[in-house]
């Protein structure tokens, strides 16, 4: 989120200092999965339209970034495969197919929610997983998280207006006086965009009055990377929280657990073993695939589950940019643009859903007991 914000700041010519407590990518964004999953196409809403527009625009934004840096972000609109184990799910999917025709269009581009009795590709998903058929949606995509971060950092390395400092933690923010404190002294700012992942929440809690509950929490996730000789263009498989994502270079990512309680935020355990077993059953081609990495991270989940973006109602110089939870990669470029434009007092070419506003989350946290 912070890297995309810095990219937009550079493009708008805003003098910017980006500080990261650790090395770039040591937070949730340095993971393995990178699935870009659309919401269901039914019950259309402002929020779904925003996500749709973001998922469509990301392709072009990444193409520009790749052209500027000469680096690949490992992006591909490879689609998504959802097995339908029960007959009623097939009926529901047919309804979603019509919803997608209605809502998933952008200019002359139409994305689909195909429903079929057999899987549209051979040798990937277990045919028995879809006893009542399969969905193949053509909107879903994937990106390689670490490759994307490298491309963003490379862009910023040549920036004229942005300076990136790693290994410097912000210990406190005095938003009204425009001061952030660090062990190496204070940083003075006109505007501060806070995109510290889940660590943003305690900082925001500390400067917000009248809260009855924290503005957000970390949710642990575990994932793994397998070495497998499969086509990188294969669709993402998704079922009940299990994601199987084929990446470039013979790598397949498997995720993710969702843990509200945990002892060690960065360890992996039997929960990941369970996911791997489910993945190998779902995609038998992975049965003997070697695990090359096990990884865990903390997702930023805002109190109202939606992203948390925008100026603090009590401290207008402080702008939140966090709460992407499980869908940050598909939204970050747009959320960051909105945050930077809010900071610069510039008009934003699109609107954010109201429930994304920091003020909306504060209202929820002020009423929740
Ligand atoms: C297992 C797992 C799988 C996931 N899969 C997907 C997926 O398939 N698709 C998807 O879209 N999303 C996925 N997510 C969610 C996604 O990774 C996160 O929502 C996203 O990375 C959050 O980005 P962020 O920039 O808000 O936070 P982070 O990436 O955590 O970045 C926050 C940064 O702030 C820095 N920081 C923190 N505190 C301070 C401080 N005081 N001073 C200075 N710097 C500070 C940290 O060092 C860090 O670099 C997954 C998450 C997990 C854990």
């Amino acid at each position: 989120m912070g890297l995309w914000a810095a990219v937009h700041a550079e493009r708008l010519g805003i003098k910017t200092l980006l500080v990261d407590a650790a090395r770039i990518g040591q937070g949730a964004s340095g993971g393995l999965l990178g699935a870009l999953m659309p919401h269901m196409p039914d019950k259309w809403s402002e929020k779904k339209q925003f996500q749709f527009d973001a998922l469509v625009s990301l392709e072009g934004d990444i193409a520009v970034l790749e052209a500027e840096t000469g680096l690949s972000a490992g992006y591909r609109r490879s689609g998504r495969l959802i097995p339908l184990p029960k007959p009623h799910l097939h009926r529901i999917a047919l309804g979603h197919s019509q919803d997608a025709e209605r809502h998933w269009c952008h200019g002359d581009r139409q994305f689909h929610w195909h429903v079929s009795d057999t899987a549209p590709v051979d040798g990937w998903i277990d045919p028995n997983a879809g006893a009542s058929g399969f969905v193949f949606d053509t909107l879903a995509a994937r990106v390689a998280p670490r490759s994307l971060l490298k491309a963003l950092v490379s862009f910023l390395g040549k920036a004229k207006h942005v300076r990136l400092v790693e290994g410097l933690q912000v210990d406190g923010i005095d938003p009204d006086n425009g001061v952030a404190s660090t062990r190496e002294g204070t940083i003075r700012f006109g505007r501060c965009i806070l995109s510290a992942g889940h660590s943003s929440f305690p900082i925001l809690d500390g400067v917000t009055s009248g809260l009855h509950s924290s503005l957000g929490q970390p949710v642990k996730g575990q994932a793994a990377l397998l070495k497998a000789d499969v086509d990188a263009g294969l669709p993402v498989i998704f079922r009940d929280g299990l994601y199987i994502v084929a990446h470039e270079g013979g790598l397949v990512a498997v995720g993710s657990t969702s843990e509200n309680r945990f002892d060690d935020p960065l360890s992996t355990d039997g929960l990941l073993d369970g996911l791997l077993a489910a993945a190998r059953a779902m995609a038998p081609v992975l049965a003997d695939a070697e695990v090359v990495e096990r990884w865990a991270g903390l997702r930023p989940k805002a109190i109202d589950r939606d992203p948390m973006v925008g100026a603090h109602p009590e401290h207008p110089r402080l702008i939140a940019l966090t709460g992407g939870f499980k869908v940050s990669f598909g939204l970050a470029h747009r959320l960051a643009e909105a945050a930077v434009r809010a900071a610069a007092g510039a008009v934003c070419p699109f609107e954010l859903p109201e429930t994304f506003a920091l003020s909306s989350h504060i209202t929820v946290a002020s009423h929740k007991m």
Side-chain angles (χ1 to χ4, degrees):
M1 293 274 217
L3 288 170
W4 273 116
V7 167
H8 288 294
E10 170 66 14
R11 292 199 171 127
L12 288 169
I14 301 168
K15 195 173 164 206
T16 301
L17 177 67
L18 174 62
V19 286
D20 196 309
R23 276 185 295 113
I24 295 292
Q26 294 219 305
S29 306
L32 306 171
L33 230 56
L36 303 169
M37 302 281 92
H39 292 306
M40 294 288 151
D42 63 332
K43 299 187 191 123
W44 204 243
S45 65
E46 184 194 18
K47 200 159 78 177
K48 291 191 177 187
Q49 184 68 46
F50 179 85
Q51 195 219 22
F52 174 79
D53 292 340
L55 287 174
V56 173
S57 67
L58 183 61
E59 184 179 339
D61 284 18
I62 285 188
V64 169
L65 184 71
E66 289 181 334
E68 282 166 335
T69 60
L71 295 175
S72 166
Y75 176 91
R76 196 188 282 226
R77 197 178 293 285
S78 38
R80 168 176 52 177
L81 206 48
I82 307 174
L84 304 169
K86 299 269 168 55
H88 75 281
L89 295 174
H90 189 98
R91 279 194 301 279
I92 294 171
L94 289 174
H96 287 163
S97 182
Q98 290 176 5
D99 294 324
E101 293 307 304
R102 197 169 316 128
H103 300 300
W104 283 8
C105 40
H106 189 272
D108 57 0
R109 292 188 81 177
Q110 175 74 54
F111 300 94
H112 305 282
W113 182 274
H114 296 299
V115 184
S116 58
D117 291 333
T118 53
V121 284
D122 288 332
W124 182 219
I125 193 166
D126 173 15
N128 299 319
S132 295
F134 294 87
V135 168
F136 175 59
D137 97 58
T138 61
L139 175 58
R142 53 92 168 138
V143 68
R146 294 171 190 172
S147 303
L148 174 60
L149 295 191
K150 269 194 196 141
L152 291 165
V153 169
S154 166
F155 175 88
L156 294 173
K158 296 176 202 132
K160 290 195 182 76
H161 309 284
V162 178
R163 193 158 70 86
L164 172 59
V165 177
E166 293 177 86
L168 185 61
Q169 178 164 318
V170 171
D171 298 320
I173 296 178
D174 175 354
D176 299 328
N177 289 311
V179 174
S181 48
T182 76
R183 65 168 191 278
E184 290 184 16
T186 56
I187 301 166
R188 299 207 157 266
F189 60 80
R191 298 281 185 281
C192 171
I193 294 182
L194 181 61
S195 56
H198 71 90
S199 302
S200 310
F201 302 129
I203 298 173
L204 289 167
D205 290 347
V207 296
T208 308
S209 43
L211 294 180
H212 285 122
S213 146
S214 172
L215 284 163
Q217 66 168 104
V219 176
K220 180 176 172 179
Q222 302 182 39
L225 197 61
L226 309 184
K227 187 92 189 115
D229 187 18
V230 299
D231 182 345
L234 285 168
V236 174
I237 296 175
F238 175 72
R239 178 77 202 145
D240 288 340
L242 170 68
Y243 297 75
I244 307 174
V245 187
H247 284 284
E248 310 294 328
L251 295 170
V252 176
V254 170
S256 309
T257 65
S258 207
E259 303 161 56
N260 287 317
R261 286 165 201 271
F262 45 85
D263 293 326
D264 181 350
L266 302 180
S267 64
T268 63
D269 54 31
L271 293 176
L272 183 56
D273 298 331
L275 267 184
L276 281 165
R280 293 185 199 277
M282 183 72 85
V285 68
L286 301 178
D288 299 317
E290 179 196 354
V291 176
V292 290
E293 184 174 348
R294 295 165 69 97
W295 179 87
L298 297 179
R299 310 172 179 96
K301 181 184 175 196
I303 183 157
D304 210 15
R305 225 189 142 92
D306 284 341
M308 179 183 277
V309 184
H312 195 293
E314 297 168 68
H315 314 288
R317 292 167 78 169
L318 179 62
I319 289 116
L321 176 57
T322 182
F325 194 29
K326 295 186 175 177
V327 292
S328 291
F329 281 104
L331 302 181
H333 61 304
R334 283 266 163 131
L335 300 177
E337 180 170 0
V340 170
R341 286 180 178 270
V347 176
C348 191
F350 51 84
E351 273 184 37
L352 289 183
E354 270 173 39
T355 53
F356 287 16
L358 170 58
S359 53
S360 167
H361 290 278
I362 290 176
T363 304
V364 174
S366 306
H367 289 98
K368 200 164 182 167
M369 290 298 182

